Amino acid sequence: MTEQNQLSIISKKDYEPRALSVAMREAGIDTVAKSVRSDVVSVNRLVKELGYKETAALIVMQLTRLEMMLNVSKQMHPEALAETATMVVDSCLGAGVGINAADIDIVFKRALKGEYGKFYGGISCADVLGWFNKYYAEKSEAYVQYNIEKSSEYNYHSPRSSEMAADKEVEFHKAAAEYYRSKLTVNNE
């Protein structure tokens, strides 16, 4: 999907939880590696095109749907949902690993499958942000692997400026992965 195509299809209804889930299933984007290789619209782009509030509203819808599907006994208060959603959007914007709509779908599907643990009673903001921090570390590592694969395709013997830029990007993603791993270690202590 080209950037021009992305612009033409960005509407809130395309990114509502059910529509996003169906679109990602149809596109076969169900892993971090596939998300890295995809051209799914980024969260930055959603904020730019739909606005910050609308993007946060999409996260609220994801959270509400998740609570409904998990049948939690203690649902988040509307104010807690809104604050959690804004913190998720801020986190996605600041992650530095190119978070896109597919990534959001993957994180919520993993939560639904119980990959982030069992939910006794309800879901908290800390739970949700923890899921995303784990995911950012995984996405950083996937970017490193992707960049290594791409650079091996250009098996040149002398470094070129594009290769040096690719090496810097690999180093950046390695550092980002290490940062998120260290954050997880501090949060789990």
Side-chain angles (χ1 to χ4, degrees):
M1 186 183 320
T2 65
E3 189 171 301
Q4 187 62 34
N5 288 342
Q6 285 181 346
L7 283 175
S8 65
I9 65 162
I10 294 179
S11 73
K12 184 176 177 182
K13 68 178 180 127
D14 294 327
Y15 296 96
E16 290 176 357
R18 180 75 180 127
L20 179 60
S21 183
V22 169
M24 294 305 104
R25 186 178 318 110
E26 288 174 355
I29 303 171
D30 56 357
T31 66
V32 180
K34 290 177 183 176
S35 173
V36 166
R37 289 164 173 78
S38 75
D39 59 354
V40 175
V41 68
S42 70
V43 172
N44 288 347
R45 187 72 174 214
L46 285 174
V47 169
K48 183 178 178 182
E49 297 297 320
L50 296 177
Y52 187 91
K53 286 182 181 180
E54 290 296 320
T55 305
L58 294 171
I59 301 298
V60 168
M61 293 167 68
Q62 287 279 5
L63 289 165
T64 303
R65 181 174 187 247
L66 180 65
E67 286 184 323
M68 178 195 68
M69 294 180 82
L70 290 173
N71 199 25
V72 295
S73 60
K74 185 179 177 188
Q75 294 190 345
M76 292 177 87
H77 187 277
E79 190 172 321
L81 281 168
E83 186 62 26
T84 300
T86 60
M87 291 176 85
V88 167
V89 172
D90 289 343
S91 176
C92 289
L93 293 173
V97 291
I99 299 301
N100 61 38
D103 297 316
I104 291 170
D105 184 59
I106 292 168
V107 168
F108 281 102
K109 281 181 180 171
R110 286 179 174 182
L112 184 60
K113 293 178 191 175
E115 291 182 28
Y116 298 120
K118 298 214 181 264
F119 304 103
Y120 299 102
I123 300 168
S124 73
C125 180
D127 293 333
V128 176
L129 293 174
W131 306 338
F132 277 90
N133 282 334
K134 286 179 185 176
Y135 189 83
Y136 299 155
E138 191 176 346
K139 179 105 182 209
S140 292
E141 290 168 2
Y143 264 120
V144 169
Q145 185 60 40
Y146 176 73
N147 287 329
I148 290 169
E149 290 168 12
K150 290 300 279 182
S151 66
S152 68
E153 290 176 14
Y154 305 106
N155 195 13
Y156 296 113
H157 300 290
S158 63
R160 297 182 177 193
S161 60
S162 61
E163 290 173 340
M164 291 189 298
D167 289 344
K168 285 182 182 180
E169 187 174 353
V170 167
E171 289 304 314
F172 169 79
H173 287 294
K174 282 182 181 177
E178 185 57 37
Y179 169 77
Y180 287 113
R181 268 195 240 89
S182 71
K183 247 179 119 170
L184 291 172
T185 304
V186 169
N187 290 340
N188 290 333
E189 292 178 351

